[in-house]
Amino acid sequence: MKNKTITIILSSLLVVSIGFNIYQFNRNNSLNESVATLRNELDTLKSDMDSLNNTIAEKDSEIADLSATITELNAAIESYKADISNKDKEIEELQAEIETLKQTAETKPQPQPSSGSSSGGGSSTTPPASNGQQTTQPSSDGTPTDQEIQDILNGLGGFGGSSADPNGGNGWNNI
């Protein structure tokens, strides 16, 4: 009987040992499958990360291009501001010069060339002065006409446009 008990104990141990080995084998297979799944997910995530890094690099390049464009545009804006400022100064100078010419025309009678009649709407011509030339008075509203301004400029020594206009103009068209 002793042998029988030993045989039963040994048989039981053999069955338990085989069952434990089967359990370990199944557990290892399950863990291996989990590891393989995690590795696939890791590879997918790495691929996604590489794609996102490429997108970031493209966006950084676009940002750098846009920054360069902004810098160029800011430089152009500053240049235009300087040009506008210069043009504003020129306009102010020209307006001051026009005002000076208007005041000169209002206060100082100028000789009129004897080449023909004046088309200075509203201006009156006085009889010949002592030097044999006619003088033109400003129009009634105080604003000189184009012809009067041309006469003033001609009297100052050759300023203004040519009066040899084939259409009979006063030369101000050349400005």
Side-chain angles (χ1 to χ4, degrees):
M1 199 51 206
K2 229 178 171 191
N3 277 341
K4 200 171 182 184
T5 346
I6 292 179
T7 306
I8 291 178
I9 291 177
L10 286 176
S11 300
S12 297
L13 283 174
L14 184 63
V15 169
V16 169
S17 175
I18 290 172
F20 185 73
N21 282 336
I22 291 172
Y23 170 75
Q24 285 292 350
F25 178 77
N26 286 338
R27 187 162 185 248
N28 280 340
N29 280 342
S30 174
L31 289 175
N32 285 338
E33 287 175 4
S34 295
V35 167
T37 302
L38 289 174
R39 285 189 180 167
N40 287 339
E41 287 177 8
L42 182 64
D43 289 341
T44 302
L45 290 175
K46 283 183 180 179
S47 174
D48 290 345
M49 244 171 68
D50 290 340
S51 174
L52 291 174
N53 284 335
N54 289 338
T55 303
I56 289 171
E58 289 173 5
K59 297 298 179 186
D60 285 343
S61 174
E62 288 178 21
I63 289 171
D65 290 345
L66 291 173
S67 293
T69 302
I70 287 172
T71 302
E72 291 173 10
L73 290 175
N74 284 337
I77 287 171
E78 291 302 317
S79 172
Y80 290 146
K81 284 181 180 178
D83 288 347
I84 288 170
S85 176
N86 291 339
K87 296 297 179 188
D88 285 342
K89 288 177 185 175
E90 287 179 31
I91 288 171
E92 289 174 6
E93 290 171 1
L94 289 173
Q95 286 175 339
E97 188 175 336
I98 288 172
E99 284 300 315
T100 303
L101 288 174
K102 284 181 181 180
Q103 289 174 358
T104 303
E106 290 173 358
T107 60
K108 181 177 175 185
Q110 296 295 318
Q112 176 152 342
S114 60
S115 62
S117 65
S118 169
S119 63
S123 68
S124 61
T125 305
T126 60
S130 62
N131 61 359
Q133 294 181 333
Q134 293 180 339
T135 58
T136 304
Q137 298 298 320
S139 60
S140 62
D141 66 354
T143 305
T145 63
D146 288 343
Q147 182 63 41
E148 290 169 340
I149 292 173
Q150 182 65 41
D151 292 343
I152 292 169
L153 292 175
N154 287 338
L156 292 175
F159 294 102
S162 169
S163 62
D165 187 354
N167 297 325
N170 57 13
W172 282 97
N173 317 17
N174 299 329
I175 294 178

